[in-house]
Amino acid sequence: MIEAVGLTKRFGQRTAVDDVSFTVRPGLVTGFLGPNGAGKSTTMRLITGLDRASAGTVTVNGKPYAEHRAPLREVGVLLDAKAVHTGRSARNHLLALAATHGIGRKRVDAVIGMAGLESVARQRVGNFSLGMGQRLGIAAALLGDPATLILDEPVNGLDPEGVIWVRNLVRHIASQGKTVFLSSHLMSEMALTADHIIVLGRGRIIADAPVSDILAQAKGAGAVRVRTPDIARLTGLLGEPGVVVTNEENVLEVSGITAAHIGELAAHAGIVLHELTPIASSLEDAYLALTQDDVEYRSTDEGSAA
Amino acid sequence: MSAIVASSPGHLSRLSFGGILRSEWIKLRSLRSTAWCYAIVIAVTIGLGALYSLNTQGQGLTADDIRGLAVGSSTLGVNFAQLVIAVLGALMITGEYGTGMIRSTLAAVPKRVPALIAKCLVFGVATFVVSAIALAGTAVASWLVLSNNGIHADFFDGRVLLPLLGAAGYLALIGVLSLALGAIIRSSAGGIAVALGLILVAPLILRILASVTRAVWPVNVSAFLPNSAGGLLWAYTSGPTAPAQSGYIVLTTLQGGLILGAWVIVAFVIAAILLKRRDA
């Protein structure tokens, strides 16, 4: 369980996280979405106390992270895959972290096995690929068998097998009643992995809802594909404000109006339709629709985009 | 996925200072740079000591001269060893900032300061032990070479043994001072530059100032720098200190040691406050 209230982080003039409040609940995989520079990583660093909040509070399992007697057992965190000394072997890195909490070698070898790093565990991390570094970071996050798992871009750099591994892993951990909070810029991945999504844009929460709600909300904004022998007349009928019609090789793509409405208009005018298909919107569309709503914000901040 | 359930990390595991010490010990051991630097310290100290002893002849030496020779030959390498130790000390922490390891360290020890204390303790003790081994090795080498030249030095004489122990303590304190400076600066290049600047360059500048201005104060300021104050820990003193020239400050061994200790404590406190305050 992660609870943030009025969380704010300013770096000089720039406000990276702006009065953000949210709750990440146990038993679910909560996705954290947002464009680069939206403040996702900063928020995760605030949760684990690596950055000090300028205002507001954030607790993990009821207490600030630093107040826990066994922080690694409360929260496992992958902040970025580079939080490892390149001169040390993967196993020694994990042994050193485990030692702080008196976690034994057996657990270290177990997480090495879970992450599929057995063959490279004694190699220096400096020689690791991005994907292997990512696996090591996830192994480190799992060391304390934590009640809450925070993963910043866990599938970044992973091969397809690794992506599936992470997906199954976080679903399994959430099914044990634990809290999972992971950020990603891959919306398609989120659609498959997350139950709940928090969308962050320019340091503020744009959406905080179950994945199904966000997808449903986006349906209305989705486009409709229309085929008709009478393109000119239909296009004329659809000339309402807010309706956009694009014609590509005699297939119309209409947005800003529902398929039902198009069908009614055509029927009234006696126009034959050969196809009338709502284009299923992806989470990507939903996400873009959400962030596009944030127009005011965008235009004012365009110049200082990070 | 059953592996997650099968091997839990044990229910008694929690963060403890003993655990943090163990963690820092694992970190120290598992870097190649540590082994290399310590090997250089041992090789340089023993090598220089033996070389120095080789070129001494036994005729007409007083017992005092011989003790001075025993201390001098054994500690000749300290001047070089301290540079290696200073670099290693700064790298102990700046290496973590450079690679991002510091975030893993501070996520595991979110109160932060215990991690810095553990780092200083582990590095200080390890450096003391390695330096003591190096100096013991040098003492043996010097004893063998000097005996061969007809000079019989008693290395177990307190006036010889204490400066040798003092040299090991000096190297450990210089190492911890550099570590604290590295924690303040947070970059390898900057940390090493400041540590070596304080040990090597600052005394040089003051010496030049003293000779150019013929003033007393640069000499007196210099006496309080880590290497000159701390250097008293491993200097051979034949008896009661000679009366000071008017205006020049002369420190005792104890005072010198305390001043170096004060440098270490001040640097550590600044480092701890900054570590606690800054974003990692």
Side-chain angles (χ1 to χ4, degrees):
Chain A
M1 175 89 110
I2 302 168
E3 288 170 291
V5 181
L7 201 58
T8 301
K9 179 64 181 178
R10 282 181 287 270
F11 295 107
Q13 294 284 308
R14 198 170 65 86
T15 303
V17 178
D18 191 359
D19 194 20
V20 159
S21 300
F22 61 87
T23 302
V24 181
R25 278 177 292 276
L28 297 176
V29 175
T30 302
F32 200 25
L33 275 180
N36 293 332
K40 303 187 299 289
S41 295
T42 305
T43 303
M44 289 181 156
R45 292 161 57 85
L46 289 168
I47 296 169
T48 48
L50 288 173
D51 282 359
R52 310 273 143 176
S54 308
T57 57
V58 59
T59 59
V60 187
N61 309 333
K63 278 190 206 173
Y65 178 67
E67 302 299 322
H68 285 287
R69 292 177 73 198
L72 290 188
R73 292 183 52 77
E74 298 294 335
V75 182
V77 61
L78 166 80
L79 283 172
D80 54 53
K82 282 176 298 183
V84 180
H85 199 298
T86 43
R88 204 169 274 130
S89 75
R91 189 162 184 273
N92 281 326
H93 171 72
L94 294 171
L95 283 172
L97 291 181
T100 58
H101 282 59
I103 297 167
R105 275 162 202 278
K106 264 176 82 180
R107 178 65 185 173
V108 169
D109 289 330
V111 296
I112 288 172
M114 280 158 63
L117 290 171
E118 294 100 332
S119 60
V120 293
R122 286 171 199 276
Q123 283 179 27
R124 299 202 310 161
V125 178
N127 302 329
F128 276 25
S129 65
L130 179 59
M132 275 149 66
Q134 206 72 344
R135 284 169 179 270
L136 175 59
I138 294 168
L142 296 173
L143 262 182
D145 193 14
T148 297
L149 198 59
I150 298 175
L151 305 174
D152 196 359
E153 302 274 356
V155 300
N156 201 11
L158 286 182
D159 53 17
E161 191 270 329
V163 172
I164 292 167
W165 169 62
V166 170
R167 192 185 301 156
N168 291 337
L169 180 76
V170 297
R171 294 236 51 94
H172 173 78
I173 288 173
S175 74
Q176 293 180 316
K178 294 177 177 176
T179 307
V180 180
F181 191 36
L182 76 160
S183 76
S184 178
H185 60 274
L186 300 169
M187 326 304 160
S188 48
E189 183 53 38
M190 281 295 187
L192 290 167
T193 311
D195 306 298
H196 192 98
I197 283 185
I198 296 173
V199 182
L200 201 66
R202 299 239 175 264
R204 288 187 190 168
I205 290 179
I206 297 171
D208 183 350
V211 172
S212 51
D213 284 13
I214 288 184
L215 283 174
Q217 200 182 323
K219 284 244 167 66
V224 182
R225 190 164 59 230
V226 187
R227 282 176 207 265
T228 173
D230 208 345
I231 290 172
R233 267 185 72 207
L234 184 67
T235 309
L237 279 175
L238 293 171
E240 291 175 20
V243 178
V244 180
V245 183
T246 53
N247 181 351
E248 212 163 305
E249 291 176 19
N250 294 328
V251 180
L252 300 181
E253 219 176 271
V254 187
S255 61
I257 185 169
T258 62
H261 197 176
I262 296 170
E264 283 160 16
L265 285 173
H268 280 299
I271 299 172
V272 175
L273 297 183
H274 291 166
E275 183 182 350
L276 180 63
T277 317
I279 303 167
S281 68
S282 63
L283 196 56
E284 236 116 4
D285 298 324
Y287 167 73
L288 287 173
L290 278 167
T291 45
Q292 270 163 4
D293 288 344
D294 214 17
V295 173
E296 181 195 12
Y297 212 9
R298 237 182 221 196
S299 55
T300 52
D301 269 343
E302 202 79 64
S304 64
Chain B
M1 285 307 121
S2 59
I4 301 167
V5 194
S7 166
S8 88
H11 290 288
L12 291 172
S13 62
R14 65 180 184 87
L15 186 60
S16 69
F17 188 67
I20 301 170
L21 279 177
R22 239 185 334 275
S23 170
E24 289 300 331
W25 171 234
I26 293 169
K27 285 193 204 167
L28 182 79
R29 275 183 323 177
S30 55
L31 286 181
R32 281 186 206 168
S33 56
T34 315
W36 275 111
C37 286
Y38 281 153
I40 290 170
V41 165
I42 292 174
V44 163
T45 311
I46 296 180
L48 283 175
L51 267 178
Y52 184 80
S53 308
L54 269 178
N55 292 319
T56 49
Q57 296 301 320
Q59 281 91 7
L61 291 178
T62 65
D64 205 44
D65 289 340
I66 290 172
R67 283 193 294 270
L69 195 61
V71 173
S73 64
S74 302
T75 57
L76 186 65
V78 173
N79 284 309
F80 299 91
Q82 68 176 348
L83 304 180
V84 180
I85 293 295
V87 169
L88 184 59
L91 284 176
M92 278 291 124
I93 184 106
T94 59
E96 292 210 4
Y97 279 102
T99 56
M101 177 68 200
I102 192 74
R103 290 193 286 279
S104 292
T105 300
L106 298 183
V109 188
K111 293 206 186 288
R112 300 185 176 191
V113 175
L116 184 64
I117 296 173
K119 217 176 250 305
C120 288
L121 279 177
V122 167
F123 181 61
V125 170
T127 302
F128 181 82
V129 170
V130 167
S131 304
I133 290 168
L135 286 153
T138 318
V140 170
S142 297
W143 181 78
L144 284 172
V145 176
L146 289 173
S147 302
N148 207 35
N149 289 359
I151 303 169
H152 299 284
D154 177 11
F155 279 86
F156 289 100
D157 186 315
R159 280 168 287 181
V160 177
L161 195 60
L162 282 178
L164 296 195
L165 277 175
Y170 170 79
L171 288 173
L173 287 172
I174 286 288
V176 175
L177 175 62
S178 303
L179 200 167
L181 292 172
I184 294 167
I185 309 288
R186 299 198 290 186
S187 94
S188 292
I192 290 170
V194 170
L196 292 187
L198 188 62
I199 294 167
L200 212 60
V201 183
L204 203 66
I205 290 171
L206 287 168
R207 205 175 305 154
I208 292 167
L209 265 177
S211 67
V212 169
T213 62
R214 301 194 176 281
V216 175
W217 68 264
V219 181
N220 284 342
V221 169
S222 186
F224 288 88
L225 288 176
N227 73 322
S228 39
L232 295 168
L233 288 173
W234 48 282
Y236 177 67
T237 41
S238 52
T241 327
Q245 279 179 271
S246 65
Y248 287 97
I249 293 171
V250 175
L251 301 167
T252 65
T253 303
L254 180 65
Q255 286 168 336
L258 289 175
I259 288 166
L260 178 56
W263 274 96
V264 173
I265 288 166
V266 169
F268 173 83
V269 168
I270 294 171
I273 290 169
L274 288 175
L275 181 67
K276 195 83 185 159
R277 278 199 191 155
R278 293 195 283 212
D279 290 338

